[in-house]
Amino acid sequence: MNGLDIFLLITSIAAIAFYGVWHTRSRRDLNSYVRGSDHTPWWVIGISVMATQASAITFLSTPGQGYLGGLGFLQVYFGVPIAMIVISLFFLPIFHKLHVYTAYEYLEKRFDRKTRLFGAGLFLLQRGIGAGLTIYAPAIVLSTVFGWSLQWTIIAAGTIVMIYTVLGGTDAVTVTQKYQMGVIFIGMTAAACILMSKLPPDLSIVDALGVAGGFQKLNASNFSPSIHERYTFWSGLLGGTFLMLSYFGADQSQVQRYLSGDSVRESRLGLLFNAICKIPMQFCILMLGVMIFVFYQFNQPPLFFDAASNQYLESRKGDPTHAQNLLKYETQFKETHAQGKQHLENWLKARREKNEQAATAEFVGAAMAQQEGEKIRKAAAQELSTQNTEIKTNSADYVFITFILRELPHGAIGLLVAAFFAAALASKAAELNALGTCTTIDFYRVLIKRQATDEECLVATKCFTALWGAAAIAIALFAQLSENLIQAVNILGSIFYGVLLGLFVVGFFIRRVGGTALFWAALVAQLLVFVLYYKLTISYLWYPLIGCAACVVFSLVIQIFLGDKENKVKPA
Amino acid sequence: MISADDDKLTGLPFPKTWNGAYVFVLINFAGWIILLVALRLFTQ
């Protein structure tokens, strides 16, 4: 990064953060700090909901997911449109009518205190861990770009986000997310335009799609009925609907965003905006990764994408005893890539000459060279891990940042790094805001100080937000991820979200079940999900559905045993 | 004063009713599925 990049990074991030704090300087009461100004228009709510979900991980790791696995990951989002319609119809009117700060207040109004605490506890547990993982992503960017230690980068990034969130409150989160999404949009568009301009001049868009399709990178609709395949149309539509229902309907970090609207109309339009825009947005981000894959078929990619592995390789180049094997792999990798590139150029020529037979033969040759290249990469990664056990090669998270640093001009690099930071701040601020709010409203005001004034609750919310920020940093420091980042976050949510959703489904639709039955049902269902997660090898997208269904069925069964002694439906 | 009709209207030029908005979302989703299937079929 040069001076221009650093200038763009610092000015864009600092200006937005300062604007957020300045804009909300007059908000000093609990209601405006927690719920916002009540005048947020629907399109700002829509952007806020989108920015909360789309963290730095989305923009950093998803292109890598597209590079390695193609468009298949898009199927995770097939549940968004249906989930948004269900939330708009059933969840939203109830939350607005009850005028709640947190979604879990509803559980006490409908059932009892222990059910509310259980729901809020599940949220704090999974979102608190998730907050650690989402700090991890921008820290990778920084440590890669500047060569800083990952630990100190996590501490620095986490502290900046924490200070900004504590000062801001809900309104500052919403206001800044609007501009942060602007920076992200400009940065990602610039990257896409530069990438397309760097593809070979005789390669048309149709040819590029042909290359991607030939390498199986455009399979975004897998209709396989197997529950063991991670991303299929069915796991996305059924499992994904439950995952998104839980996330948007029962996760306070999202509920708090759309409750900042002053009417059901504003909140509902904000949700439907996401129902329409989420799939196209993810498609574009994944397609960026697919096009980087096409780019690297015509340009030499590095043997390793992740910075730590590359740095190790570079540092050992003067040491023939250690580097001999790795350098041998690097040479083989370059030769294989050159063969593959030659085959693709011949394929293009044959395509122009409409020689189908020759074109097919050349593409088969290119595919074989690509497979050979991947084998060499794997063998080199194994060799590397035997030489240095601290290095964990996880290419997907580093593909996009490596492309940015190697191929983009200065200015664009700064803009993209600013976009990652903007995304990190946007989602992190919303998460910490929700964690602080939930801890105060659902635990502090219920268990510790029941008669707390609004002023005391405001101070408590700020303190708890800071504490959660510190906890997130600690979790990020100890995070050891074997999964790709974006998948790790989704897997974590899938384990907890089903039961959380089940609490609300029973509350909204099953009047005969009371609080005690539901509480024990939720506890057993959560244990069942834990056991199944460790015992089964099914796609993680099915767990929200399993957790929700188990919670509903168990609550009905337990209620039968308990009989009708409880007052099942409390007046709201 | 808010009439019962206001609950059914989106306040947008299109779609005007909430039911229309939900149908619009579902048609948009179906359109994406068709596009993705077509992309897969025509590029292999």
Side-chain angles (χ1 to χ4, degrees):
Chain A
M1 282 178 80
N2 68 3
L4 176 66
D5 295 323
I6 292 167
F7 172 78
L8 278 170
L9 170 64
I10 293 175
T11 48
S12 55
I13 295 304
I16 293 172
F18 278 122
Y19 174 73
V21 175
W22 176 81
H23 185 81
T24 53
R25 66 197 182 286
S26 59
R27 315 273 155 74
R28 293 285 177 266
D29 62 296
L30 182 69
N31 191 58
S32 63
Y33 186 84
V34 169
R35 205 184 276 130
S37 67
D38 274 354
H39 299 298
T40 317
W42 67 265
W43 59 274
V44 176
I45 294 173
I47 289 172
S48 179
V49 167
M50 186 177 271
T52 299
Q53 191 187 24
S55 66
I57 295 172
T58 307
F59 299 100
L60 186 68
S61 178
T62 309
Q65 189 75 23
Y67 179 96
L68 293 175
L71 295 181
F73 186 66
L74 187 64
Q75 292 166 117
V76 171
Y77 299 94
F78 283 180
V80 172
I82 298 166
M84 290 304 194
I85 291 174
V86 173
I87 293 166
S88 296
L89 279 169
F90 300 105
F91 289 56
L92 192 57
I94 293 175
F95 289 154
H96 260 281
K97 187 181 161 195
L98 296 177
H99 208 62
V100 290
Y101 284 122
T102 74
Y104 318 109
E105 284 180 80
Y106 162 77
L107 295 175
E108 182 166 357
K109 289 178 196 286
R110 165 68 177 84
F111 298 106
D112 52 29
R113 183 155 294 170
K114 63 179 179 297
T115 310
R116 172 188 183 175
L117 294 177
F118 184 78
L122 275 185
F123 163 72
L124 292 181
L125 183 65
Q126 68 86 18
R127 185 47 63 193
I129 300 170
L133 296 185
T134 43
I135 275 191
Y136 194 70
I140 286 171
V141 180
L142 263 181
S143 61
T144 308
V145 171
F146 298 111
W148 293 346
S149 94
L150 186 62
Q151 281 80 3
W152 281 110
T153 313
I154 286 169
I155 292 168
T159 308
I160 293 166
V161 178
M162 188 169 69
I163 293 168
Y164 158 75
T165 311
V166 170
L167 289 174
T170 294
D171 240 5
V173 173
T174 309
V175 165
T176 50
Q177 280 176 330
K178 191 170 53 175
Y179 297 101
Q180 284 157 344
M181 281 303 276
V183 173
I184 293 163
F185 181 77
I186 294 168
M188 296 302 276
T189 307
C193 292
I194 295 169
L195 169 64
M196 296 314 283
S197 73
K198 280 183 169 278
L199 290 175
D202 56 339
L203 188 81
S204 67
I205 296 283
V206 176
D207 292 332
L209 288 176
V211 174
F215 284 107
Q216 310 295 313
K217 300 292 179 187
L218 299 180
N219 296 353
S221 48
N222 174 6
F223 291 97
S224 162
S226 169
I227 55 168
H228 299 287
E229 282 190 53
R230 189 168 265 191
Y231 304 121
T232 67
F233 177 82
W234 307 112
S235 69
L237 193 69
L238 294 173
T241 297
F242 277 81
L243 176 64
M244 299 304 165
L245 260 180
S246 327
Y247 177 57
F248 290 103
D251 187 309
Q252 179 62 18
S253 66
Q254 281 295 359
V255 174
Q256 201 160 353
R257 305 278 71 74
Y258 55 76
L259 286 185
S260 64
D262 67 345
S263 67
V264 173
R265 175 188 176 272
E266 302 297 326
S267 305
R268 195 177 269 165
L269 284 174
L271 287 174
L272 295 183
F273 169 83
N274 277 270
I276 289 172
C277 294
K278 189 65 193 171
I279 291 175
M281 184 185 122
Q282 291 297 139
F283 174 81
C284 292
I285 299 170
L286 281 167
M287 203 57 174
L288 189 65
V290 171
M291 285 298 131
I292 291 173
F293 174 84
V294 174
F295 170 82
Y296 277 129
Q297 298 312 302
F298 295 92
N299 297 273
Q300 180 64 51
L303 180 59
F304 301 116
F305 274 103
D306 61 305
S309 304
N310 268 328
Q311 281 160 9
Y312 182 81
L313 189 62
E314 287 300 316
S315 70
R316 290 291 182 274
K317 275 192 174 166
D319 179 0
T321 49
H322 279 92
Q324 205 174 17
N325 282 343
L326 284 175
L327 290 176
K328 192 180 79 188
Y329 284 128
E330 196 176 32
T331 311
Q332 283 177 356
F333 184 69
K334 281 182 181 167
E335 284 168 4
T336 313
H337 181 267
Q339 286 169 14
K341 184 185 170 188
Q342 188 58 53
H343 279 300
L344 277 180
E345 283 168 355
N346 293 342
W347 168 77
L348 263 179
K349 203 173 155 193
R351 221 167 124 102
R352 299 270 177 275
E353 291 164 358
K354 307 230 180 284
N355 186 344
E356 289 278 327
Q357 213 173 359
T360 308
E362 291 296 344
F363 204 93
V364 169
M368 285 169 70
Q370 212 266 336
Q371 275 178 3
E372 187 58 31
E374 286 308 315
K375 272 186 201 164
I376 295 167
R377 224 178 217 158
K378 210 172 265 181
Q382 270 180 347
E383 172 71 25
L384 187 77
S385 59
T386 54
Q387 285 189 21
N388 188 336
T389 50
E390 284 182 12
I391 294 177
K392 290 180 172 56
T393 51
N394 193 353
S395 295
D397 297 329
Y398 289 89
V399 168
F400 191 36
I401 189 68
T402 303
F403 170 78
I404 289 167
L405 292 177
R406 283 167 61 114
E407 307 296 339
L408 264 56
H410 287 295
I413 294 175
L415 193 62
L416 256 300
V417 177
F420 294 144
F421 266 94
L425 288 175
S427 59
K428 184 58 49 204
E431 282 176 347
L432 294 184
N433 183 222
L435 286 165
T437 302
C438 179
T439 312
T440 306
I441 303 297
D442 294 312
F443 287 93
Y444 174 76
R445 214 165 66 168
V446 171
L447 296 177
I448 298 169
K449 198 165 186 183
R450 290 189 187 189
Q451 304 303 323
T453 62
D454 278 2
E455 286 75 24
E456 286 171 326
C457 284
L458 179 64
V459 173
T461 308
K462 291 184 175 184
C463 291
F464 285 127
T465 305
L467 276 176
W468 277 111
I473 291 171
I475 292 164
L477 285 172
F478 294 105
Q480 295 284 326
L481 294 179
S482 57
E483 287 284 352
N484 164 258
L485 283 171
I486 186 94
Q487 294 193 108
V489 171
N490 281 336
I491 290 169
L492 182 72
S494 297
I495 293 170
F496 291 98
Y497 275 151
V499 176
L500 194 54
L501 176 66
L503 296 174
F504 288 91
V505 168
V506 173
F508 293 150
F509 302 111
I510 306 175
R511 295 173 66 82
R512 72 172 72 165
V513 174
T516 303
L518 181 61
F519 174 80
W520 289 109
L523 206 62
V524 176
Q526 189 58 65
L527 289 174
L528 177 73
V529 172
F530 280 137
V531 172
L532 291 180
Y533 179 73
Y534 285 106
K535 291 280 176 195
L536 300 182
T537 55
I538 61 172
S539 168
Y540 68 84
L541 286 173
W542 293 109
Y543 288 111
L545 194 158
I546 292 170
C548 180
C551 186
V552 171
V553 173
F554 292 166
S555 69
L556 284 167
V557 172
I558 294 172
Q559 189 60 55
I560 289 169
F561 283 104
L562 287 178
D564 289 334
K565 280 176 274 180
E566 268 187 298
N567 178 20
K568 287 157 223 151
V569 180
K570 290 163 71 177
Chain B
M1 201 154 140
I2 299 170
S3 70
D5 275 353
D6 287 337
D7 287 343
K8 294 177 182 170
L9 300 176
T10 61
L12 299 176
F14 174 84
K16 289 190 176 191
T17 64
W18 289 115
N19 284 343
Y22 301 142
V23 172
F24 180 71
V25 167
L26 291 175
I27 289 173
N28 180 67
F29 176 51
W32 270 99
I33 299 295
I34 292 166
L35 181 84
L36 293 170
V37 171
L39 193 64
R40 179 183 177 170
L41 292 177
F42 289 115
T43 57
Q44 278 187 339

